[in-house]
Amino acid sequence: MIENPDSLFKLISHGIYVIGVSDGIHQNAFTAAWVMQASFDPLLLALSINPQHYSYKLLQAGGICTVNVLGQHQQAIAEHFGRPGLRDKMAGFQWQISQTGAPILSESLAYFDCEVSHYADAGDHKIAICTVTDAAMLNLGLPLLYVQTGDMDGSSELYAK
């Protein structure tokens, strides 16, 4: 048994992102910390998503998403999009529409516009492997890191004890 897995896994460096999804009609967004570059050629990102969430259904139906990089000053945004069950999560924020049709969070540091290539099973999550079709810097700043968020997502309760 691993002691303190919640503390140890926070040492794996990764940022905090808002993932924008669309099925062509409906849009939603959620906070993700498990995003990584998976390939140089082609440019691929991998992101982890809970298949029980509404956003997963939109991602599957539309096959598109944006990965919006949050800045160090945007923890409140991460918390907002990490809350399940909000009626209209996207209200009160400025959005742009990407080339693929997925929502871009205008106040993020940067975005990656993606098309889902394929999925892989990963325990209680799915890994979406996404081809990057466009990307741009939107605002200056340093990225928000997962370790800086404390137990914002309540993940310490999810590790098998």
Side-chain angles (χ1 to χ4, degrees), residues 84-132:
L86 291 180
R87 182 159 250 163
D88 187 2
K89 269 188 185 181
M90 298 176 71
F93 294 90
Q94 290 186 340
W95 298 92
Q96 304 170 36
I97 300 299
S98 70
Q99 290 178 2
T100 63
I104 298 168
L105 181 61
S106 297
E107 57 197 278
S108 63
L109 297 182
Y111 75 91
F112 298 86
D113 192 15
C114 301
E115 294 176 350
V116 177
S117 168
H118 60 281
Y119 295 91
D121 291 329
D124 60 358
H125 278 60
K126 296 280 188 179
I127 303 294
I129 307 296
C130 304
T131 303
V132 177

mmCIF file of all heavy atoms in Angstrom, residues 84-132:
data_model
loop_
_atom_site.group_PDB
_atom_site.id
_atom_site.type_symbol
_atom_site.label_atom_id
_atom_site.label_comp_id
_atom_site.label_asym_id
_atom_site.label_seq_id
_atom_site.Cartn_x
_atom_site.Cartn_y
_atom_site.Cartn_z
ATOM 1 N N PRO A 84 -19.613 19.831 -10.503
ATOM 2 C CA PRO A 84 -20.618 19.125 -11.306
ATOM 3 C C PRO A 84 -22.012 19.679 -11.043
ATOM 4 O O PRO A 84 -22.280 20.275 -9.999
ATOM 5 C CB PRO A 84 -20.509 17.679 -10.810
ATOM 6 C CG PRO A 84 -19.981 17.791 -9.420
ATOM 7 C CD PRO A 84 -19.132 19.028 -9.388
ATOM 8 N N GLY A 85 -22.876 19.521 -12.016
ATOM 9 C CA GLY A 85 -24.286 19.819 -11.822
ATOM 10 C C GLY A 85 -24.693 21.275 -11.928
ATOM 11 O O GLY A 85 -25.848 21.587 -11.665
ATOM 12 N N LEU A 86 -23.777 22.182 -12.288
ATOM 13 C CA LEU A 86 -24.190 23.577 -12.469
ATOM 14 C C LEU A 86 -25.082 23.672 -13.696
ATOM 15 O O LEU A 86 -24.804 23.063 -14.724
ATOM 16 C CB LEU A 86 -22.970 24.489 -12.638
ATOM 17 C CG LEU A 86 -22.076 24.683 -11.417
ATOM 18 C CD1 LEU A 86 -20.921 25.605 -11.760
ATOM 19 C CD2 LEU A 86 -22.871 25.251 -10.253
ATOM 20 N N ARG A 87 -26.126 24.449 -13.610
ATOM 21 C CA ARG A 87 -27.117 24.535 -14.691
ATOM 22 C C ARG A 87 -26.506 25.072 -15.990
ATOM 23 O O ARG A 87 -26.634 24.459 -17.033
ATOM 24 C CB ARG A 87 -28.286 25.389 -14.249
ATOM 25 C CG ARG A 87 -29.354 25.476 -15.300
ATOM 26 C CD ARG A 87 -30.654 25.850 -14.730
ATOM 27 N NE ARG A 87 -31.472 24.640 -14.850
ATOM 28 C CZ ARG A 87 -32.567 24.422 -14.196
ATOM 29 N NH1 ARG A 87 -32.986 25.289 -13.344
ATOM 30 N NH2 ARG A 87 -33.255 23.333 -14.396
ATOM 31 N N ASP A 88 -25.873 26.228 -15.957
ATOM 32 C CA ASP A 88 -25.231 26.782 -17.158
ATOM 33 C C ASP A 88 -23.832 27.230 -16.776
ATOM 34 O O ASP A 88 -23.589 28.405 -16.513
ATOM 35 C CB ASP A 88 -26.049 27.934 -17.743
ATOM 36 C CG ASP A 88 -25.488 28.419 -19.077
ATOM 37 O OD1 ASP A 88 -24.499 27.845 -19.561
ATOM 38 O OD2 ASP A 88 -26.046 29.375 -19.633
ATOM 39 N N LYS A 89 -22.905 26.286 -16.748
ATOM 40 C CA LYS A 89 -21.529 26.547 -16.332
ATOM 41 C C LYS A 89 -20.861 27.652 -17.138
ATOM 42 O O LYS A 89 -20.002 28.351 -16.640
ATOM 43 C CB LYS A 89 -20.676 25.283 -16.543
ATOM 44 C CG LYS A 89 -20.603 24.362 -15.409
ATOM 45 C CD LYS A 89 -19.571 23.305 -15.746
ATOM 46 C CE LYS A 89 -19.519 22.250 -14.705
ATOM 47 N NZ LYS A 89 -18.531 21.242 -15.001
ATOM 48 N N MET A 90 -21.236 27.776 -18.387
ATOM 49 C CA MET A 90 -20.514 28.670 -19.284
ATOM 50 C C MET A 90 -20.969 30.122 -19.194
ATOM 51 O O MET A 90 -20.282 31.010 -19.683
ATOM 52 C CB MET A 90 -20.615 28.138 -20.705
ATOM 53 C CG MET A 90 -19.955 26.760 -20.809
ATOM 54 S SD MET A 90 -20.105 26.008 -22.407
ATOM 55 C CE MET A 90 -18.996 27.033 -23.360
ATOM 56 N N ALA A 91 -22.095 30.380 -18.558
ATOM 57 C CA ALA A 91 -22.613 31.744 -18.430
ATOM 58 C C ALA A 91 -21.661 32.593 -17.596
ATOM 59 O O ALA A 91 -21.054 32.123 -16.642
ATOM 60 C CB ALA A 91 -23.994 31.722 -17.784
ATOM 61 N N GLY A 92 -21.517 33.848 -17.977
ATOM 62 C CA GLY A 92 -20.685 34.786 -17.236
ATOM 63 C C GLY A 92 -19.230 34.805 -17.688
ATOM 64 O O GLY A 92 -18.423 35.540 -17.128
ATOM 65 N N PHE A 93 -18.892 34.009 -18.683
ATOM 66 C CA PHE A 93 -17.528 33.967 -19.221
ATOM 67 C C PHE A 93 -17.593 34.307 -20.707
ATOM 68 O O PHE A 93 -18.599 34.080 -21.364
ATOM 69 C CB PHE A 93 -16.902 32.575 -19.044
ATOM 70 C CG PHE A 93 -16.692 32.207 -17.609
ATOM 71 C CD1 PHE A 93 -17.684 31.549 -16.893
ATOM 72 C CD2 PHE A 93 -15.509 32.532 -16.961
ATOM 73 C CE1 PHE A 93 -17.499 31.214 -15.564
ATOM 74 C CE2 PHE A 93 -15.320 32.200 -15.627
ATOM 75 C CZ PHE A 93 -16.311 31.539 -14.925
ATOM 76 N N GLN A 94 -16.483 34.876 -21.205
ATOM 77 C CA GLN A 94 -16.417 35.194 -22.633
ATOM 78 C C GLN A 94 -15.861 33.991 -23.383
ATOM 79 O O GLN A 94 -14.844 33.415 -22.988
ATOM 80 C CB GLN A 94 -15.537 36.408 -22.887
ATOM 81 C CG GLN A 94 -16.149 37.695 -22.403
ATOM 82 C CD GLN A 94 -15.307 38.893 -22.806
ATOM 83 O OE1 GLN A 94 -14.141 38.794 -23.111
ATOM 84 N NE2 GLN A 94 -15.938 40.055 -22.805
ATOM 85 N N TRP A 95 -16.539 33.631 -24.472
ATOM 86 C CA TRP A 95 -16.165 32.472 -25.276
ATOM 87 C C TRP A 95 -15.995 32.873 -26.729
ATOM 88 O O TRP A 95 -16.664 33.773 -27.218
ATOM 89 C CB TRP A 95 -17.242 31.386 -25.181
ATOM 90 C CG TRP A 95 -17.418 30.891 -23.786
ATOM 91 C CD1 TRP A 95 -18.295 31.354 -22.848
ATOM 92 C CD2 TRP A 95 -16.664 29.869 -23.148
ATOM 93 N NE1 TRP A 95 -18.146 30.673 -21.670
ATOM 94 C CE2 TRP A 95 -17.151 29.741 -21.826
ATOM 95 C CE3 TRP A 95 -15.640 29.022 -23.552
ATOM 96 C CZ2 TRP A 95 -16.638 28.825 -20.914
ATOM 97 C CZ3 TRP A 95 -15.133 28.100 -22.655
ATOM 98 C CH2 TRP A 95 -15.633 28.011 -21.349
ATOM 99 N N GLN A 96 -15.106 32.186 -27.395
ATOM 100 C CA GLN A 96 -14.936 32.281 -28.838
ATOM 101 C C GLN A 96 -15.219 30.883 -29.382
ATOM 102 O O GLN A 96 -15.184 29.914 -28.635
ATOM 103 C CB GLN A 96 -13.508 32.681 -29.198
ATOM 104 C CG GLN A 96 -13.033 33.971 -28.563
ATOM 105 C CD GLN A 96 -11.533 34.173 -28.760
ATOM 106 O OE1 GLN A 96 -10.985 33.821 -29.787
ATOM 107 N NE2 GLN A 96 -10.872 34.720 -27.749
ATOM 108 N N ILE A 97 -15.465 30.780 -30.653
ATOM 109 C CA ILE A 97 -15.673 29.472 -31.268
ATOM 110 C C ILE A 97 -14.427 29.147 -32.102
ATOM 111 O O ILE A 97 -13.971 29.955 -32.906
ATOM 112 C CB ILE A 97 -16.935 29.453 -32.158
ATOM 113 C CG1 ILE A 97 -18.164 29.775 -31.307
ATOM 114 C CG2 ILE A 97 -17.087 28.103 -32.850
ATOM 115 C CD1 ILE A 97 -18.428 28.800 -30.174
ATOM 116 N N SER A 98 -13.890 27.966 -31.880
ATOM 117 C CA SER A 98 -12.689 27.536 -32.589
ATOM 118 C C SER A 98 -13.015 27.117 -34.016
ATOM 119 O O SER A 98 -14.182 27.041 -34.399
ATOM 120 C CB SER A 98 -12.047 26.360 -31.843
ATOM 121 O OG SER A 98 -12.861 25.207 -31.974
ATOM 122 N N GLN A 99 -11.971 26.813 -34.781
ATOM 123 C CA GLN A 99 -12.162 26.341 -36.154
ATOM 124 C C GLN A 99 -13.010 25.078 -36.199
ATOM 125 O O GLN A 99 -13.799 24.887 -37.118
ATOM 126 C CB GLN A 99 -10.806 26.078 -36.812
ATOM 127 C CG GLN A 99 -10.008 27.310 -37.100
ATOM 128 C CD GLN A 99 -8.650 26.983 -37.721
ATOM 129 O OE1 GLN A 99 -8.303 25.835 -37.972
ATOM 130 N NE2 GLN A 99 -7.862 28.016 -37.975
ATOM 131 N N THR A 100 -12.854 24.208 -35.202
ATOM 132 C CA THR A 100 -13.623 22.960 -35.189
ATOM 133 C C THR A 100 -15.051 23.166 -34.696
ATOM 134 O O THR A 100 -15.898 22.315 -34.900
ATOM 135 C CB THR A 100 -12.961 21.903 -34.277
ATOM 136 O OG1 THR A 100 -12.959 22.377 -32.930
ATOM 137 C CG2 THR A 100 -11.562 21.550 -34.746
ATOM 138 N N GLY A 101 -15.290 24.282 -34.002
ATOM 139 C CA GLY A 101 -16.606 24.551 -33.437
ATOM 140 C C GLY A 101 -16.666 24.392 -31.929
ATOM 141 O O GLY A 101 -17.719 24.567 -31.326
ATOM 142 N N ALA A 102 -15.552 24.051 -31.299
ATOM 143 C CA ALA A 102 -15.503 23.902 -29.841
ATOM 144 C C ALA A 102 -15.307 25.267 -29.183
ATOM 145 O O ALA A 102 -14.711 26.169 -29.769
ATOM 146 C CB ALA A 102 -14.377 22.951 -29.443
ATOM 147 N N PRO A 103 -15.786 25.439 -27.953
ATOM 148 C CA PRO A 103 -15.661 26.729 -27.274
ATOM 149 C C PRO A 103 -14.248 26.987 -26.728
ATOM 150 O O PRO A 103 -13.619 26.102 -26.154
ATOM 151 C CB PRO A 103 -16.669 26.626 -26.130
ATOM 152 C CG PRO A 103 -16.838 25.172 -25.878
ATOM 153 C CD PRO A 103 -16.594 24.480 -27.182
ATOM 154 N N ILE A 104 -13.782 28.227 -26.930
ATOM 155 C CA ILE A 104 -12.490 28.691 -26.419
ATOM 156 C C ILE A 104 -12.771 29.687 -25.299
ATOM 157 O O ILE A 104 -13.522 30.656 -25.501
ATOM 158 C CB ILE A 104 -11.669 29.410 -27.516
ATOM 159 C CG1 ILE A 104 -11.354 28.473 -28.672
ATOM 160 C CG2 ILE A 104 -10.393 30.011 -26.931
ATOM 161 C CD1 ILE A 104 -10.804 29.191 -29.904
ATOM 162 N N LEU A 105 -12.170 29.475 -24.136
ATOM 163 C CA LEU A 105 -12.300 30.400 -23.014
ATOM 164 C C LEU A 105 -11.389 31.596 -23.281
ATOM 165 O O LEU A 105 -10.166 31.481 -23.232
ATOM 166 C CB LEU A 105 -11.921 29.700 -21.708
ATOM 167 C CG LEU A 105 -12.028 30.520 -20.433
ATOM 168 C CD1 LEU A 105 -13.468 30.978 -20.190
ATOM 169 C CD2 LEU A 105 -11.520 29.701 -19.250
ATOM 170 N N SER A 106 -11.977 32.750 -23.563
ATOM 171 C CA SER A 106 -11.223 33.929 -24.000
ATOM 172 C C SER A 106 -10.180 34.396 -23.000
ATOM 173 O O SER A 106 -9.157 34.945 -23.388
ATOM 174 C CB SER A 106 -12.178 35.091 -24.303
ATOM 175 O OG SER A 106 -13.035 34.758 -25.366
ATOM 176 N N GLU A 107 -10.419 34.193 -21.699
ATOM 177 C CA GLU A 107 -9.471 34.683 -20.701
ATOM 178 C C GLU A 107 -8.376 33.682 -20.352
ATOM 179 O O GLU A 107 -7.545 33.939 -19.486
ATOM 180 C CB GLU A 107 -10.209 35.148 -19.460
ATOM 181 C CG GLU A 107 -11.078 34.115 -18.809
ATOM 182 C CD GLU A 107 -12.071 34.752 -17.849
ATOM 183 O OE1 GLU A 107 -11.684 35.041 -16.706
ATOM 184 O OE2 GLU A 107 -13.232 34.958 -18.260
ATOM 185 N N SER A 108 -8.324 32.543 -21.032
ATOM 186 C CA SER A 108 -7.256 31.574 -20.776
ATOM 187 C C SER A 108 -5.934 32.094 -21.348
ATOM 188 O O SER A 108 -5.911 33.026 -22.152
ATOM 189 C CB SER A 108 -7.608 30.211 -21.367
ATOM 190 O OG SER A 108 -7.724 30.273 -22.771
ATOM 191 N N LEU A 109 -4.827 31.490 -20.913
ATOM 192 C CA LEU A 109 -3.514 31.888 -21.424
ATOM 193 C C LEU A 109 -3.347 31.496 -22.881
ATOM 194 O O LEU A 109 -2.784 32.236 -23.683
ATOM 195 C CB LEU A 109 -2.388 31.239 -20.610
ATOM 196 C CG LEU A 109 -2.286 31.601 -19.133
ATOM 197 C CD1 LEU A 109 -1.090 30.903 -18.509
ATOM 198 C CD2 LEU A 109 -2.211 33.103 -18.929
ATOM 199 N N ALA A 110 -3.808 30.297 -23.210
ATOM 200 C CA ALA A 110 -3.661 29.760 -24.560
ATOM 201 C C ALA A 110 -4.715 28.685 -24.749
ATOM 202 O O ALA A 110 -5.343 28.235 -23.793
ATOM 203 C CB ALA A 110 -2.271 29.162 -24.737
ATOM 204 N N TYR A 111 -4.909 28.292 -25.999
ATOM 205 C CA TYR A 111 -5.832 27.194 -26.270
ATOM 206 C C TYR A 111 -5.244 26.284 -27.340
ATOM 207 O O TYR A 111 -4.390 26.690 -28.142
ATOM 208 C CB TYR A 111 -7.211 27.698 -26.705
ATOM 209 C CG TYR A 111 -7.229 28.223 -28.121
ATOM 210 C CD1 TYR A 111 -7.531 27.370 -29.196
ATOM 211 C CD2 TYR A 111 -6.935 29.545 -28.395
ATOM 212 C CE1 TYR A 111 -7.519 27.848 -30.498
ATOM 213 C CE2 TYR A 111 -6.928 30.034 -29.684
ATOM 214 C CZ TYR A 111 -7.218 29.179 -30.743
ATOM 215 O OH TYR A 111 -7.202 29.652 -32.024
ATOM 216 N N PHE A 112 -5.718 25.058 -27.335
ATOM 217 C CA PHE A 112 -5.411 24.071 -28.359
ATOM 218 C C PHE A 112 -6.753 23.585 -28.884
ATOM 219 O O PHE A 112 -7.589 23.121 -28.106
ATOM 220 C CB PHE A 112 -4.620 22.897 -27.780
ATOM 221 C CG PHE A 112 -3.287 23.296 -27.224
ATOM 222 C CD1 PHE A 112 -3.176 23.752 -25.917
ATOM 223 C CD2 PHE A 112 -2.151 23.250 -28.012
ATOM 224 C CE1 PHE A 112 -1.958 24.137 -25.398
ATOM 225 C CE2 PHE A 112 -0.920 23.634 -27.501
ATOM 226 C CZ PHE A 112 -0.827 24.081 -26.192
ATOM 227 N N ASP A 113 -6.976 23.702 -30.177
ATOM 228 C CA ASP A 113 -8.205 23.228 -30.798
ATOM 229 C C ASP A 113 -7.942 21.806 -31.284
ATOM 230 O O ASP A 113 -6.935 21.549 -31.956
ATOM 231 C CB ASP A 113 -8.558 24.149 -31.971
ATOM 232 C CG ASP A 113 -9.949 23.931 -32.519
ATOM 233 O OD1 ASP A 113 -10.773 23.273 -31.858
ATOM 234 O OD2 ASP A 113 -10.215 24.437 -33.628
ATOM 235 N N CYS A 114 -8.834 20.885 -30.939
ATOM 236 C CA CYS A 114 -8.541 19.467 -31.170
ATOM 237 C C CYS A 114 -9.712 18.702 -31.763
ATOM 238 O O CYS A 114 -10.871 19.017 -31.511
ATOM 239 C CB CYS A 114 -8.191 18.795 -29.838
ATOM 240 S SG CYS A 114 -6.783 19.516 -28.990
ATOM 241 N N GLU A 115 -9.355 17.660 -32.519
ATOM 242 C CA GLU A 115 -10.309 16.656 -32.978
ATOM 243 C C GLU A 115 -9.916 15.336 -32.335
ATOM 244 O O GLU A 115 -8.738 14.966 -32.351
ATOM 245 C CB GLU A 115 -10.279 16.534 -34.493
ATOM 246 C CG GLU A 115 -10.757 17.782 -35.200
ATOM 247 C CD GLU A 115 -10.642 17.687 -36.720
ATOM 248 O OE1 GLU A 115 -10.010 16.731 -37.238
ATOM 249 O OE2 GLU A 115 -11.180 18.583 -37.383
ATOM 250 N N VAL A 116 -10.884 14.628 -31.779
ATOM 251 C CA VAL A 116 -10.593 13.345 -31.127
ATOM 252 C C VAL A 116 -10.203 12.324 -32.191
ATOM 253 O O VAL A 116 -10.912 12.139 -33.182
ATOM 254 C CB VAL A 116 -11.792 12.842 -30.310
ATOM 255 C CG1 VAL A 116 -11.503 11.475 -29.709
ATOM 256 C CG2 VAL A 116 -12.159 13.841 -29.219
ATOM 257 N N SER A 117 -9.072 11.689 -31.976
ATOM 258 C CA SER A 117 -8.604 10.625 -32.862
ATOM 259 C C SER A 117 -9.157 9.281 -32.407
ATOM 260 O O SER A 117 -9.710 8.523 -33.197
ATOM 261 C CB SER A 117 -7.074 10.602 -32.862
ATOM 262 O OG SER A 117 -6.581 9.434 -33.468
ATOM 263 N N HIS A 118 -8.999 8.996 -31.105
ATOM 264 C CA HIS A 118 -9.489 7.732 -30.555
ATOM 265 C C HIS A 118 -9.469 7.791 -29.032
ATOM 266 O O HIS A 118 -8.941 8.734 -28.446
ATOM 267 C CB HIS A 118 -8.676 6.538 -31.075
ATOM 268 C CG HIS A 118 -7.221 6.594 -30.748
ATOM 269 N ND1 HIS A 118 -6.308 7.362 -31.448
ATOM 270 C CD2 HIS A 118 -6.492 5.972 -29.782
ATOM 271 C CE1 HIS A 118 -5.099 7.215 -30.945
ATOM 272 N NE2 HIS A 118 -5.185 6.380 -29.928
ATOM 273 N N TYR A 119 -10.049 6.776 -28.425
ATOM 274 C CA TYR A 119 -10.148 6.674 -26.969
ATOM 275 C C TYR A 119 -9.449 5.412 -26.488
ATOM 276 O O TYR A 119 -9.342 4.440 -27.221
ATOM 277 C CB TYR A 119 -11.615 6.600 -26.521
ATOM 278 C CG TYR A 119 -12.419 7.836 -26.808
ATOM 279 C CD1 TYR A 119 -13.116 7.970 -28.004
ATOM 280 C CD2 TYR A 119 -12.496 8.874 -25.891
ATOM 281 C CE1 TYR A 119 -13.865 9.104 -28.274
ATOM 282 C CE2 TYR A 119 -13.239 10.010 -26.155
ATOM 283 C CZ TYR A 119 -13.922 10.110 -27.346
ATOM 284 O OH TYR A 119 -14.659 11.247 -27.605
ATOM 285 N N ALA A 120 -9.034 5.450 -25.233
ATOM 286 C CA ALA A 120 -8.487 4.270 -24.566
ATOM 287 C C ALA A 120 -9.087 4.205 -23.167
ATOM 288 O O ALA A 120 -9.346 5.237 -22.546
ATOM 289 C CB ALA A 120 -6.964 4.350 -24.485
ATOM 290 N N ASP A 121 -9.328 2.994 -22.694
ATOM 291 C CA ASP A 121 -9.806 2.815 -21.330
ATOM 292 C C ASP A 121 -8.667 3.082 -20.361
ATOM 293 O O ASP A 121 -7.518 2.716 -20.626
ATOM 294 C CB ASP A 121 -10.324 1.390 -21.127
ATOM 295 C CG ASP A 121 -11.608 1.129 -21.887
ATOM 296 O OD1 ASP A 121 -12.396 2.078 -22.060
ATOM 297 O OD2 ASP A 121 -11.822 -0.017 -22.306
ATOM 298 N N ALA A 122 -8.987 3.712 -19.241
ATOM 299 C CA ALA A 122 -7.983 4.011 -18.212
ATOM 300 C C ALA A 122 -8.649 3.952 -16.842
ATOM 301 O O ALA A 122 -8.947 4.978 -16.244
ATOM 302 C CB ALA A 122 -7.356 5.375 -18.456
ATOM 303 N N GLY A 123 -8.906 2.753 -16.353
ATOM 304 C CA GLY A 123 -9.541 2.607 -15.049
ATOM 305 C C GLY A 123 -10.916 3.234 -15.033
ATOM 306 O O GLY A 123 -11.755 2.912 -15.878
ATOM 307 N N ASP A 124 -11.146 4.180 -14.116
ATOM 308 C CA ASP A 124 -12.454 4.821 -14.017
ATOM 309 C C ASP A 124 -12.605 6.013 -14.962
ATOM 310 O O ASP A 124 -13.613 6.721 -14.927
ATOM 311 C CB ASP A 124 -12.749 5.240 -12.566
ATOM 312 C CG ASP A 124 -11.746 6.233 -12.004
ATOM 313 O OD1 ASP A 124 -10.779 6.602 -12.704
ATOM 314 O OD2 ASP A 124 -11.919 6.640 -10.835
ATOM 315 N N HIS A 125 -11.621 6.240 -15.820
ATOM 316 C CA HIS A 125 -11.657 7.324 -16.796
ATOM 317 C C HIS A 125 -11.444 6.776 -18.206
ATOM 318 O O HIS A 125 -11.120 5.608 -18.390
ATOM 319 C CB HIS A 125 -10.579 8.373 -16.485
ATOM 320 C CG HIS A 125 -10.989 9.346 -15.430
ATOM 321 N ND1 HIS A 125 -11.329 8.976 -14.147
ATOM 322 C CD2 HIS A 125 -11.108 10.696 -15.468
ATOM 323 C CE1 HIS A 125 -11.644 10.044 -13.439
ATOM 324 N NE2 HIS A 125 -11.520 11.104 -14.217
ATOM 325 N N LYS A 126 -11.618 7.653 -19.190
ATOM 326 C CA LYS A 126 -11.271 7.387 -20.585
ATOM 327 C C LYS A 126 -10.180 8.363 -20.961
ATOM 328 O O LYS A 126 -10.159 9.505 -20.502
ATOM 329 C CB LYS A 126 -12.474 7.614 -21.515
ATOM 330 C CG LYS A 126 -13.626 6.691 -21.288
ATOM 331 C CD LYS A 126 -13.389 5.358 -21.919
ATOM 332 C CE LYS A 126 -14.652 4.503 -21.835
ATOM 333 N NZ LYS A 126 -14.461 3.207 -22.455
ATOM 334 N N ILE A 127 -9.262 7.923 -21.790
ATOM 335 C CA ILE A 127 -8.240 8.805 -22.349
ATOM 336 C C ILE A 127 -8.669 9.130 -23.776
ATOM 337 O O ILE A 127 -8.889 8.231 -24.586
ATOM 338 C CB ILE A 127 -6.850 8.142 -22.372
ATOM 339 C CG1 ILE A 127 -6.426 7.695 -20.971
ATOM 340 C CG2 ILE A 127 -5.814 9.083 -23.012
ATOM 341 C CD1 ILE A 127 -6.187 8.804 -19.994
ATOM 342 N N ALA A 128 -8.816 10.414 -24.057
ATOM 343 C CA ALA A 128 -9.107 10.863 -25.420
ATOM 344 C C ALA A 128 -7.791 11.317 -26.030
ATOM 345 O O ALA A 128 -7.119 12.196 -25.489
ATOM 346 C CB ALA A 128 -10.111 12.006 -25.404
ATOM 347 N N ILE A 129 -7.413 10.691 -27.126
ATOM 348 C CA ILE A 129 -6.229 11.102 -27.873
ATOM 349 C C ILE A 129 -6.723 12.050 -28.957
ATOM 350 O O ILE A 129 -7.580 11.685 -29.769
ATOM 351 C CB ILE A 129 -5.494 9.906 -28.500
ATOM 352 C CG1 ILE A 129 -5.180 8.847 -27.441
ATOM 353 C CG2 ILE A 129 -4.241 10.378 -29.241
ATOM 354 C CD1 ILE A 129 -4.240 9.288 -26.347
ATOM 355 N N CYS A 130 -6.197 13.272 -28.944
ATOM 356 C CA CYS A 130 -6.731 14.340 -29.788
ATOM 357 C C CYS A 130 -5.663 14.920 -30.703
ATOM 358 O O CYS A 130 -4.555 15.245 -30.256
ATOM 359 C CB CYS A 130 -7.290 15.455 -28.914
ATOM 360 S SG CYS A 130 -8.554 14.909 -27.751
ATOM 361 N N THR A 131 -6.011 15.089 -31.960
ATOM 362 C CA THR A 131 -5.145 15.747 -32.929
ATOM 363 C C THR A 131 -5.321 17.255 -32.792
ATOM 364 O O THR A 131 -6.447 17.762 -32.840
ATOM 365 C CB THR A 131 -5.512 15.325 -34.361
ATOM 366 O OG1 THR A 131 -5.431 13.900 -34.451
ATOM 367 C CG2 THR A 131 -4.587 15.958 -35.384
ATOM 368 N N VAL A 132 -4.221 17.976 -32.620
ATOM 369 C CA VAL A 132 -4.268 19.436 -32.497
ATOM 370 C C VAL A 132 -4.369 20.024 -33.901
ATOM 371 O O VAL A 132 -3.506 19.786 -34.746
ATOM 372 C CB VAL A 132 -3.026 19.984 -31.765
ATOM 373 C CG1 VAL A 132 -3.061 21.505 -31.713
ATOM 374 C CG2 VAL A 132 -2.925 19.387 -30.366
#
